[in-house]
């Protein structure tokens, strides 16, 4: 069993990667699902998550967690570039890539967005390689087929977009070999080295082959694997950091097709909830009067945000201690927020609309069931769980909520450790498990061969 | 030194790339990743516990308890623990799932949950603790 498939999911907040044997779809064995420890190249944090971030410092480029940490120190005027995915999913990709990075990201004003993306991809590919070499099963692979997950593109020209993106990967591949392992060190690489090596990498991208799988398809793939009746109709809600995506899919055999009219992307997701929470904390802390106190408090909240959010989602409230004061945030406070209410309305109507579209298809095919799944870091949110539990039937179709973490992820061999991170890893895992027929595009670039012809 | 944090991958200069990495199973690797996060939550819980016991702190007892339970819940979540039952809920008594906090002379048919049970990977680590329905005073 040495032919493997590896899928990367570069989300707004975190990149993830997983591998599975190439024949996993027809012969599924949970033990052979390998989420990769791409975050393991860093000293702290969850080993399966790698912060999607690049920070342009005075004379160095930092990546991942180090980039986030440095951006936090650097204050509000400076930012790490995080939203590669948003950039890659705009309809005019080439133009977006050729835009200069904003001054808050690149104070030197020397990089285009494209440069920073290639740099991040070089880091990601190195981290993936290191993690694959560490995995006792994946490192013995004789061949690895690579894939990446991306949101479905509105423009419809997936094949064209795919070509552009694979080229970025090809350039990143050249760059990372030129830079070497230094790219994985917390101190990153020097801007000087980048100025020398990046233009060369762009001129000579390595040949690169990849498959593209849409995120929703990947989510559907992991949900229906190992199920005897692989739910023919699915609605997927993916709340990540940057976006909440709703997609409807119909499956027949190993083919999954999306019903494009049902797709909705909302701009509110984890990052948005973060800002709602931070505002509530500030409003609840009237003692923080001066600008300096407020800034300090804001920072403290951001630093502990993930824990605060988890506690609020799981227990209904979170308590935070700052400078001798105890501040609490309740789920109820969030529910009262005006922007949050708007988000809930948008979410409910998008979901409802998706269901309607699905129902027509369900009835047309003489089926009766729709399966609902939530993925992404937001799958744990009570309002997302409520949403997909609304199983109201219409006619004779019924909606069944599937757990965010499938039964097989609770298998004893994982000793309870895969389940808590599963929703975040779901897309990379599904992308690695999915059969070839589920890919949205395939192929690659081979500049050398092209040049010869 | 927290020995539980095995970090993979970072090619140390001394390590030849092909050197066999520890034969870690995925379960171990996942466990280590989870522990890394649970560690800090547990450490925090210990410190809070001291504060609560010593009483020599400005923060009031109730707030400390909140913070303490939050840290413990966080550590537990990172380790994939799940809670069994809902606080205050009434359930039909089931010897296999329930433990009495104070065993009554006659076993009642219905009990009230006093403390949620704890499970992990389908295995119950602590049974749900229950008491008689009447005793809580709320019917
Ligand atoms: N258990 C949890 N409870 C609450 N929030 C969580 C939990 N786990 C992750 N998150 C939040 O989920 C978000 C990250 O989720 P995810 O990794 O799915 O996003 P992403 O894929 O990077 O983003 P996107 O899909 O929007 O590009 C963050 O906002 C994080 O704080
Ligand atoms: Mg995502």
């Amino acid at each position: 069993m040495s032919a493997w498939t590896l899928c990367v999911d570069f989300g707004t907040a975190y990149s993830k990667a997983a591998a599975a044997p190439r024949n996993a779809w027809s012969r599924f064995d949970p033990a052979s699902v390998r989420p990769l420890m791409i975050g393991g190249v860093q000293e702290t944090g969850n080993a399966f998550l790698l912060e999607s971030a690049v920070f342009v410092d005075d004379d160095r480029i930092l990546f991942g967690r180090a980039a986030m940490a440095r951006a936090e120190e650097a204050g509000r005027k400076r930012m790490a570039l995080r939203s590669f995915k948003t950039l890659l999913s705009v309809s005019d990709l080439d133009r977006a890539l050729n835009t200069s990075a904003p001054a808050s990201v690149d104070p030197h004003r020397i990089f285009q967005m494209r440069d920073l993306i290639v740099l991040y991809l070089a880091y990601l590919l190195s981290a993936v390689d290191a993690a694959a070499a560490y995995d006792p099963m994946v490192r013995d692979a004789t061949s690895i087929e690579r894939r990446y997950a991306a949101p479905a593109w509105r423009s419809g020209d997936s094949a064209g977009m795919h070509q552009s993106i694979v080229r970025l990967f090809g350039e990143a591949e050249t760059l990372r070999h030129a830079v070497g392992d230094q790219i994985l060190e917390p101190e990153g690489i020097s801007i000087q080295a980048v100025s020398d090596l990046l233009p060369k990498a762009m001129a000579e991208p390595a040949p690169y082959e990849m498959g593209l799988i849409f995120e929703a398809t990947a989510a559907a793939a992991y949900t229906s694997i190992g199920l005897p009746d692989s739910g023919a109709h699915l609605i997927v809600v993916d709340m990540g950091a940057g976006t909440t995506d709703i997609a409807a899919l119909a499956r027949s055999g190993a083919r999954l097709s999306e019903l494009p009219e049902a797709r909705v992307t909302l701009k509110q997701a984890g990052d948005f909830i973060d800002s709602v929470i931070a505002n509530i904390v500030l409003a609840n802390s009237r003692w923080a009067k001066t600008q300096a106190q407020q800034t300090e408090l804001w920072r403290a909240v951001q630093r502990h945000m993930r824990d605060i959010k988890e506690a609020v989602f799981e227990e209904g409230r979170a308590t935070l201690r700052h400078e001798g004061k105890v501040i609490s945030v309740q789920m109820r406070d969030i529910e009262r927020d005006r922007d949050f209410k708007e988000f809930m309305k948008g979410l409910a109507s998008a979901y409802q609309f998706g269901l309607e579209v699905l129902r027509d298809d369900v009835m047309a095919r003489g089926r009766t069931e729709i399966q609902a799944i939530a993925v992404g870091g937001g799958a744990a949110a009570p309002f997302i769980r409520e949403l997909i539990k609304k199983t109201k039937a219409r006619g004779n179709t019924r909606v069944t909520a599937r757990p965010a973490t499938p039964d097989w992820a609770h298998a004893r061999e994982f000793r309870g450790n895969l389940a808590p991170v599963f929703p975040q890893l779901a897309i990379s895992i599904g992308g690695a498990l999915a059969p070839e027929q589920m890919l949205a595009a395939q192929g690659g670039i081979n500049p050398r061969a092209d040049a010869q012809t | 030194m927290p020995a539980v944090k095995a970090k993979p991958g970072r090619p140390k200069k001394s390590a030849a790339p092909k050197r066999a990495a520890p034969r870690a199973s995925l379960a171990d690797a996942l466990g280590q990743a989870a522990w890394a996060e649970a560690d800090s939550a547990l450490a925090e819980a210990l410190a809070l516990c001291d504060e609560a016991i010593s009483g020599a702190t400005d923060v009031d007892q109730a707030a400390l308890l909140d913070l303490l339970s939050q840290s413990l819940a966080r550590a537990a979540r990172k380790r994939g623990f799940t809670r069994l039952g809902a606080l205050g809920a009434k359930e039909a008594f089931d010897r296999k799932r329930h433990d009495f906090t104070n065993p009554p002379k006659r076993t009642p048919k219905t009990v009230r949950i006093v403390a949620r049970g704890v499970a992990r990977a389908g295995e119950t680590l602590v049974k749900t603790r229950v008491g008689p329905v009447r005793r809580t005073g709320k019917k």
Side-chain angles (χ1 to χ4, degrees):
Chain A
M1 203 168 48
S2 58
W4 287 72
T5 305
L6 188 157
C7 182
V8 293
D9 166 16
F10 37 98
T12 310
Y14 297 106
S15 300
K16 306 94 175 167
R22 192 120 3 122
N23 63 358
W25 185 257
S26 46
R27 265 197 252 152
F28 180 58
D29 168 17
S32 67
V33 173
R34 315 296 293 180
L36 297 178
M37 292 201 270
I38 59 172
V41 296
Q42 310 174 104
E43 299 294 331
T44 56
N46 189 298
F48 293 93
L49 305 174
L50 185 71
E51 269 88 347
S52 311
V54 175
F55 186 80
V56 182
D57 211 342
D58 297 341
D59 52 10
R60 302 193 76 81
I61 310 271
L62 309 182
F63 301 95
R65 216 155 286 158
M68 292 302 283
R70 185 70 188 94
E72 197 194 306
E73 276 168 25
R76 280 195 182 187
K77 291 218 180 86
R78 297 281 283 110
M79 276 164 49
L81 180 67
R82 269 179 77 212
S83 41
F84 314 99
K85 200 182 83 176
T86 333
L87 192 76
L88 295 182
S89 53
V90 300
S91 50
D92 192 349
L93 179 64
D94 286 319
R95 209 176 79 193
L97 288 175
N98 294 329
T99 320
S100 297
S104 57
V105 168
D106 169 24
H108 316 294
R109 309 308 311 260
I110 50 175
F111 294 116
Q112 293 191 328
M113 294 303 241
R114 174 194 185 90
D115 304 333
L116 298 178
I117 291 181
V118 170
L119 279 163
Y120 179 72
L121 291 179
Y123 173 69
L124 176 62
L125 289 176
S126 296
V128 167
D129 255 21
Y134 181 75
D135 187 290
M137 287 168 89
V138 184
R139 74 160 166 253
D140 294 334
T142 49
S143 73
I144 293 184
E145 179 200 318
R146 289 174 184 264
R147 295 175 178 174
Y148 67 101
W153 284 298
R154 281 207 170 276
S155 73
D157 180 21
S158 301
M161 296 277 223
H162 177 64
Q163 276 302 311
S164 306
I165 288 178
V166 176
R167 186 180 168 98
L168 299 175
F169 272 101
E171 294 172 8
E173 182 71 7
T174 303
L175 180 67
R176 81 182 176 97
H177 286 297
V179 173
D181 289 339
Q182 179 61 37
I183 202 166
L184 295 177
E185 299 294 330
E187 61 274 20
I189 51 180
S190 74
I191 292 185
Q192 186 58 52
V194 171
S195 313
D196 289 346
L197 301 172
L198 187 59
K200 289 186 197 144
M202 286 183 167
E204 260 178 71
Y208 217 79
E209 282 278 331
M210 271 191 130
L212 158 64
I213 185 158
F214 288 145
E215 292 180 349
T217 314
Y222 91 75
T223 311
S224 46
I225 201 165
L227 287 180
D229 177 25
S230 45
H233 288 86
L234 297 128
I235 186 159
V236 177
V237 182
D238 175 2
M239 177 167 145
T243 59
T244 302
D245 296 279
I246 293 180
L249 300 114
R251 175 171 165 192
S252 62
R255 280 208 101 80
L256 251 181
S257 48
E258 187 169 347
L259 307 174
E261 62 276 32
R263 168 168 285 273
V264 178
T265 295
L266 300 166
K267 286 261 151 53
Q268 298 98 334
D271 288 349
F272 161 79
I273 303 285
D274 293 358
S275 75
V276 171
I277 290 178
N279 284 324
I280 291 169
V281 171
L282 246 63
N284 287 355
S285 311
R286 267 181 235 118
W287 53 266
K289 291 202 178 67
T290 68
Q291 186 74 46
Q293 282 175 320
Q294 290 179 357
T295 307
E296 249 325 289
L297 179 57
W298 179 275
R299 286 223 180 124
V301 175
Q302 296 301 340
R303 241 187 339 267
H304 298 290
M305 187 53 86
R306 172 63 195 278
D307 296 333
I308 298 175
K309 201 160 44 172
E310 244 183 78
V312 172
F313 285 176
E314 292 291 326
E315 319 278 336
R317 70 185 181 138
T319 310
L320 167 80
R321 181 145 76 151
H322 178 70
E323 315 246 306
K325 304 278 196 306
V326 176
I327 310 150
S328 92
V329 188
Q330 315 237 354
M331 191 61 216
R332 258 181 301 168
D333 300 331
I334 299 176
E335 284 160 358
R336 274 200 291 263
D337 180 89
R338 227 188 14 190
D339 295 337
F340 181 81
K341 281 187 190 157
E342 279 300 306
F343 171 37
M344 287 301 102
K345 255 198 236 152
L347 185 62
S349 72
Y351 185 74
Q352 207 47 47
F353 180 70
L355 279 184
E356 296 300 321
V357 173
L358 266 177
R359 275 187 181 122
D360 293 342
D361 201 77
V362 168
M363 296 207 269
R365 297 192 199 205
R367 289 283 197 141
T368 53
E369 197 186 18
I370 296 172
Q371 304 205 354
I373 24 166
V375 295
F383 50 89
I384 297 285
R385 285 193 258 184
E386 280 302 305
L387 184 75
I388 67 162
K389 256 199 285 175
K390 281 193 193 132
T391 54
K392 249 204 298 178
R394 204 197 60 193
N396 51 3
T397 58
R398 70 177 183 279
V399 185
T400 318
R402 299 213 41 91
T405 305
D407 287 343
W408 59 262
H410 290 286
R412 265 177 203 269
E413 60 254 41
F414 300 121
R415 286 182 233 141
N417 288 312
L418 179 58
V421 275
F422 191 90
Q424 271 181 283
L425 299 175
I427 285 174
S428 59
I429 291 177
L433 290 172
E436 217 159 86
Q437 295 95 309
M438 289 190 190
L439 295 186
Q442 230 175 336
I445 53 157
N446 194 344
R448 280 161 220 166
D450 291 351
Q452 279 160 15
T453 51
Chain B
M1 272 265 285
V4 285
K5 263 189 101 166
K7 287 292 180 175
R10 166 102 76 92
K12 292 271 151 26
K13 278 165 200 99
S14 59
K18 296 232 180 61
R19 196 185 74 175
R23 277 264 152 199
S25 72
L26 182 63
D28 292 337
L30 279 159
Q32 281 158 359
W35 264 123
E37 291 201 310
D39 275 355
S40 67
L42 267 183
E44 176 67 21
L46 274 176
L48 285 163
C49 210
D50 262 6
E51 271 190 73
I53 291 168
S54 74
T57 174
D58 301 336
V59 180
D60 71 60
Q61 208 70 14
L64 275 177
L65 206 54
D66 268 357
L67 287 163
L68 177 58
S69 74
Q70 185 173 300
S71 292
L72 283 175
R74 197 171 109 220
R77 264 200 309 277
K78 300 292 179 198
R79 297 289 292 151
F81 289 16
T82 47
R83 301 287 186 95
L84 305 171
L87 277 179
K90 283 196 293 185
E91 278 183 1
F93 179 73
D94 175 351
R95 196 172 301 283
K96 283 201 214 86
R97 295 189 296 117
H98 296 148
D99 257 346
F100 279 103
T101 43
N102 181 11
K105 291 207 182 72
R106 271 189 54 227
T107 308
K109 274 215 174 72
T110 311
V111 288
R112 187 180 290 276
I113 296 180
V114 181
R116 290 171 286 175
V118 181
R120 180 155 173 241
E123 183 189 346
T124 300
L125 302 175
V126 167
K127 286 188 197 176
T128 301
R129 297 190 181 158
V130 298
V133 169
R134 183 170 23 86
R135 276 266 289 285
T136 63
K138 280 193 214 142
K139 187 195 125 165

